[in-house]
Structure formats: C-alpha cells, structure tokens
Amino acid sequence: MKVQWKGGVARIEGVAFDARLCLIDSAQSFVWREHEGKFYAALLGGAVCIEPIEEGLLIYRIAEDQVEDFIHYLDLVRDYAALADQYAVYPYAARALREADGLRVLNQPVWDTLLSFILSANNNVARIRKLCWLLSEHFGERCEIDGLVLHEMPSPAVLSDVPEESLRRLGFGYRAPFLIQTARMVRDGFPLDRLRDLPYDEAHQLLIQLSGVGDKVADCVLLFGCSHASAFPVDVWVDRLMRAWFPELARAKSRLMLQRAARELLGGDAGLIQQFMFHCARCGLIEVGEEPEVR
DNA sequence: AGCCAGGTTTGGC
DNA sequence: GCCAAACATGGC
C-alpha cells in the first residue's frame, strides 16, 4: 500500500477496497451516501469525501494527521488475502471471501456505531439508513461539502436532552427511549472508550447494560466500532446461513448459543468472516438453501 | 395487503 | 437461566 498526502487529499494505492461495498451495500455503516460516483459522510470531526480510483482511492478534506485515522477506519492495513488462507478449510467462508473481494470490516467511531445499531434492531436496512439520517439531520452538527449538506451524529450530551416525543414524531417508534436512555448513560460516565481495550467478554457484558442493546447489537458495536474482530453478530441471516453451511452448529438452541459456538469454531477473526458470509447470503451471492427446521 | 426487517424488553416459569 | 409475546414503523 502506498500513501501520499497533499493539500488536504490523501491518495492511497495498491489496496483492495470496494467503496460502495464497504460503505453502503454491506450494511455495516449507515451514514454514507453516494453522489456522482463519490461517497460522503460526516465523521471523525467533519465532512469527508472518498473517491474510488483505478489504483485505490482518494480521500478529500482531511488533514495530514488524520490520514492514519482513515486508514484505520477503512481497515486498509489488514491482510485480507491471509484471511482467505487461514479459513481455506471452511468452504463457504473461503467462497465468501472470494465473492466479496474488496470488502473490509470498518473501524467506526464507537458512539456512532452504537446509535446506528440500536436503530437496527428488528428493522430493515433502508429504514435504518433513513433513521440515522434523521437523527443526525435534526440533532447533529451541520457541515457542508461539494454543495452537499451533511450532519454528524448527535453527541451524548445533546441527545440526552431531546424529548422522547420529538423522536417519536420523527418516526423512531419504540426505539426513541432506548436512544435517550443510552445517551444519558454515556453522558454520565459509561466507559465507551474503554471497550476497545477490554477483553471481549467484559466489553460485551458492559454493552448489554445499555438500553436497546442486546447480545446482537453489542456484537455489532464491538465488531464495527471497537475493533473486536472475534465479535460475532447473529441476526436472522447469520442464523440461517450458519445452520445451513456449518451443520455441526445447526443444533444450537438459541442465537446466543450459536454465537458462542461460532466464535469457538472460527476463532479470533470470526467476526470478519461473519461479515463476508452475511453479505453474500443477504445479497444472494451464495444461496443459503432451505432453512433446516430441526434444531 | 401482508410479511418482514442486521432484536430488545418485559414478565412469567 | 430459558421462553413467548409485545413492540413502532415502513420497505417491498
């Protein structure tokens, strides 16, 4: 990988990176939007633009000392080719890594990730994106880029003081009080920024104390927002695909049991593999087949 | 029109 | 601990 920075633009070459796949289609972030072939979001302290180019990507509007932050955000350092070797013994894992070439598991800001995935519960991707947009638009800091108006996610302090009724009027439904209660807990000292350095089990235990955060959302926050590559979110898709593709796990009694068995089987990078398989199943790149009814 | 969505909470055993 | 039902909303 080759990195240059000049006049607020970083040029990164020699890396497999599919911007649309990573930032939008893989449903790990809901804050990016595509406009005229470029990708925009407000995060890490301002509006940014990513443009895919033949050799890699350009990142506009960043300071030189932010380049490392974005390389980390996009997980560009990780050797995904090595993952394919490591998991070659699992046919579906290996195939998913091939099918979704250019996918990377993002390292997003933990607070943004937490809000996004509280909104994700029992919800569809299109509406999760819409609700994230509404939340930022109404309560987050405004910024502009290329004539587009964007907003950051609201801070815990600001969100703490938003009346539940305001959120309900905007269509947040029963998730409205979850957002506000979680914002208050974070404002009042919940150690969000320590999760990354805690062991997985401790971090998971802490997260599920937050309102609107159960086992699955906690795993999403750990995987996409805390660099815990072993965190293994089990949603409806992963539940189906794991039981179909890993018959030895099909007898798990619950999603939590399946999560534990899958982490044990797949090891330290279980979550990364999960993301590739999730995407391939959800987008029909690999057929899941008939759902095994017998548990 | 009705099923479903990257589930969580609550209350009951 | 495990289980079932309720839950707001709108995408498709």
Side-chain angles (χ1 to χ4, degrees):
Chain A
M1 182 171 69
K2 182 173 150 197
V3 182
Q4 298 174 309
W5 180 88
K6 190 177 174 187
V9 182
R11 182 183 190 91
I12 303 175
E13 300 178 352
V15 60
F17 173 76
D18 184 328
R20 183 180 293 111
L21 179 55
C22 293
L23 303 176
I24 296 181
D25 290 346
S26 58
Q28 46 177 330
S29 175
F30 306 97
V31 302
W32 291 88
R33 59 181 282 198
E34 184 177 2
H35 177 73
E36 295 179 350
K38 300 177 185 175
F39 298 84
Y40 296 88
L43 75 166
L44 299 174
V48 290
C49 169
I50 290 181
E51 179 181 12
I53 56 173
E54 198 62 33
E55 310 79 19
L57 63 147
L58 300 175
I59 311 177
Y60 296 92
R61 280 255 218 147
I62 65 169
E64 187 166 20
D65 62 4
Q66 282 187 298
V67 174
E68 283 306 315
D69 295 339
F70 275 91
I71 287 174
H72 179 247
Y73 178 96
L74 300 172
D75 207 35
L76 296 180
V77 173
R78 189 185 305 275
D79 183 353
Y80 280 78
L83 269 187
D85 297 335
Q86 185 184 338
Y87 286 91
V89 291
Y90 303 105
Y92 283 98
R95 186 173 162 201
L97 285 163
R98 248 183 297 120
E99 295 277 355
D101 184 43
L103 174 60
R104 285 167 181 274
V105 177
L106 304 176
N107 298 290
Q108 304 174 57
V110 58
W111 171 244
D112 296 15
T113 312
L114 181 55
L115 291 178
S116 300
F117 282 92
I118 286 174
L119 293 173
S120 79
N122 196 29
N123 209 347
N124 61 67
V125 171
R127 197 162 79 102
I128 298 164
R129 194 164 278 129
K130 181 180 152 189
L131 291 177
C132 283
W133 180 266
L134 280 175
L135 192 62
S136 67
E137 183 182 29
H138 284 265
F139 308 107
E141 295 279 344
R142 175 195 157 104
C143 48
E144 267 183 76
I145 180 168
D146 292 353
L148 298 176
V149 177
L150 304 177
H151 297 261
E152 297 182 35
M153 281 298 200
S155 68
V158 167
L159 191 53
S160 293
D161 293 329
V162 172
E164 184 180 325
E165 251 316 295
S166 307
L167 291 181
R168 287 199 181 264
R169 270 196 299 273
L170 288 169
F172 286 82
Y174 62 79
R175 301 177 186 82
F178 296 165
L179 292 170
I180 294 165
Q181 285 171 32
T182 285
R184 289 178 179 163
M185 289 179 72
V186 171
R187 176 196 63 184
D188 296 339
F190 182 94
L192 255 197
D193 40 351
R194 243 190 286 150
L195 296 174
R196 192 185 152 155
D197 298 315
L198 285 174
Y200 167 84
D201 288 305
E202 288 180 45
H204 190 270
Q205 275 298 115
L206 269 175
L207 268 170
I208 61 176
Q209 294 173 26
L210 294 171
S211 180
V213 180
D215 295 318
K216 189 272 176 182
V217 169
D219 277 323
C220 287
V221 174
L222 291 173
L223 179 60
F224 303 130
C226 302
S227 305
H228 275 278
S230 79
F232 196 90
V234 180
D235 72 323
V236 291
W237 285 102
V238 175
D239 193 341
R240 288 197 282 253
L241 102 236
M242 287 304 288
R243 292 176 195 280
W245 298 348
F246 296 80
E248 65 267 44
L249 303 183
R251 280 154 34 90
K253 302 269 189 211
S254 65
R255 287 190 183 170
L256 182 56
M257 293 301 182
L258 178 58
Q259 182 256 59
R260 288 177 179 154
R263 290 190 71 236
E264 190 162 355
L265 179 69
L266 298 178
D269 291 323
L272 307 180
I273 304 306
Q274 174 274 164
Q275 188 56 21
F276 280 82
M277 295 193 298
F278 165 80
H279 173 73
C280 289
R282 193 176 77 90
C283 295
L285 295 173
I286 306 177
E287 193 60 44
V288 176
E290 292 308 307
E291 188 176 357
E293 292 294 332
V294 190
R295 293 190 174 180

